């Protein structure tokens, strides 16, 4: 796996991450969603630098020009519900992409710390031979990403896989590195050291789904 971790590369990206983490700013859910989108836009641009290209001839009012542009073989797949604003940010840039949605949740048996990942909905086009952008804002344990990927393989085997995340843990990064094909790329804006006993990233930012869309009944 090739890891593109922007944690220690100073840029505007970190202003958006700082606002996502900040307890007083993150309460503004519209800003929270937009900041996730903005991170998605920046990571899309970074990712576009390594995608397969194609040449297209463009007709201008004064002539023609050969342009090298990313191949239009991209499927963006996000994990509901927290993945939605990141999906939108990526779709803002890869606006020709096809789209896939999978729902997954953590089932905390007996309300303890242990949990199973339940994947219970998928709407996806064929993935055979395509470039899959697999999107989840929080790469905590990495188990959701792996379970979702295994379910997605029912739709065909993608040629290239790019995992795109806003914030991760070292454990999650190690897990995807061990469990995804070698040619996978991981694009991640920031990585924290610790996961707590319930699988939340510390210091992290809290529950990305709740911050974007409101608290849920447990
Ligand atoms: N999902 C979240 O929303 N936050 C975490 O810290 C981990 C998983």
């Amino acid at each position: 796996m090739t890891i593109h971790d922007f944690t220690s590369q100073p840029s505007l990206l970190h202003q958006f991450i700082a606002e996502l983490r900040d307890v007083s700013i993150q309460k503004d859910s519209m800003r929270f969603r937009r900041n996730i989108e903005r991170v998605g836009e920046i990571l899309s641009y970074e990712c576009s630098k390594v995608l397969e290209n194609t040449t297209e001839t463009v007709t201008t009012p004064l002539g023609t020009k050969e342009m090298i542009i990313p191949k239009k073989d991209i499927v963006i797949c996000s994990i509901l519900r927290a993945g939605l604003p990141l999906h939108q940010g990526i779709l803002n840039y890869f606006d020709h992409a096809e789209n896939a949605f999978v729902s997954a949740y953590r089932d905390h048996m007996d309300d303890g710390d242990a949990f199973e990942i339940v994947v219970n909905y998928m709407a996806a086009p064929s993935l055979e031979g395509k470039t899959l952008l697999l999107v989840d804002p929080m790469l905590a344990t990495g188990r959701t990403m792996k379970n979702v990927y295994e379910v997605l393989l029912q739709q065909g085997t993608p040629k290239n896989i790019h995992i795109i995340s806003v914030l991760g843990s070292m454990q999650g990064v190690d897990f995807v590195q061990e469990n995804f094909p070698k040619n996978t790329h991981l694009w991640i804006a920031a990585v924290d050291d610790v996961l707590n006993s319930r699988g939340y990233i510390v210091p992290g930012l809290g529950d990305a789904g709740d911050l974007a869309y409101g608290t849920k009944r447990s």
Side-chain angles (χ1 to χ4, degrees):
M1 173 175 288
T2 311
I3 298 173
H4 309 264
D5 171 8
F6 295 90
T7 305
S8 43
Q9 194 181 106
S11 79
L12 182 59
L13 190 58
H14 294 289
Q15 179 184 313
F16 305 148
I17 302 288
E19 290 189 4
L20 288 168
R21 290 185 192 271
D22 188 311
V23 279
S24 51
I25 300 174
Q26 65 173 205
K27 287 194 183 83
D28 176 352
S29 62
M30 189 164 77
R31 177 167 282 268
F32 186 85
R33 291 191 301 272
R34 182 63 192 123
N35 276 329
I36 296 246
E37 264 186 53
R38 296 202 277 190
V39 172
E41 288 164 357
I42 292 171
L43 294 181
S44 297
Y45 175 69
E46 293 294 335
C47 173
S48 75
K49 296 175 183 173
V50 307
L51 294 179
E52 288 181 16
N53 291 311
T54 182
T55 305
E56 280 187 12
T57 306
V58 177
T59 305
T60 79
L62 301 174
T64 58
K65 181 72 184 171
E66 301 264 284
M67 298 291 301
I68 298 168
I69 55 176
K71 266 175 86 173
K72 295 192 177 76
D73 66 345
I74 293 169
V75 181
I76 308 169
C77 176
S78 61
I79 302 168
L80 300 172
R81 70 190 158 141
L84 288 176
L86 188 57
H87 190 113
Q88 187 57 50
I90 295 166
L91 188 58
N92 288 347
Y93 277 26
F94 292 114
D95 53 303
H96 298 285
E98 294 180 280
N99 298 277
F101 297 94
V102 175
S103 96
Y105 67 93
R106 293 173 169 191
D107 185 8
H108 285 270
M109 290 79 58
D110 310 324
D111 215 23
D113 284 347
F115 58 86
E116 294 289 331
I117 310 286
V118 181
V119 177
N120 56 359
Y121 172 80
M122 171 171 64
S126 166
L127 298 177
E128 191 62 39
K130 296 188 182 159
T131 295
L132 172 65
L133 309 187
L134 188 51
V135 173
D136 190 352
M138 307 301 281
L139 180 59
T141 64
R143 284 165 52 199
T144 305
M145 203 68 96
K146 175 176 182 256
N147 287 21
V148 165
Y149 176 64
E150 283 168 356
V151 171
L152 279 172
L153 289 177
Q154 293 167 17
Q155 308 301 118
T157 307
K159 185 171 171 199
N160 302 300
I161 306 162
H162 296 265
I163 297 172
I164 302 182
S165 275
V166 175
L167 191 54
S169 70
M170 288 305 298
Q171 188 182 318
V173 172
D174 291 345
F175 185 86
V176 293
Q177 193 162 20
E178 281 157 23
N179 286 281
F180 273 79
K182 292 250 171 314
N183 67 346
T184 303
H185 287 254
L186 169 65
W187 303 87
I188 189 153
V191 178
D192 290 351
D193 291 335
V194 184
L195 273 186
N196 70 13
S197 61
R198 282 186 79 80
Y200 275 76
I201 300 166
V202 181
L205 54 76
D207 188 304
D210 285 2
L211 288 161
Y213 298 112
T215 49
K216 54 196 173 291
R217 269 180 71 189
S218 52

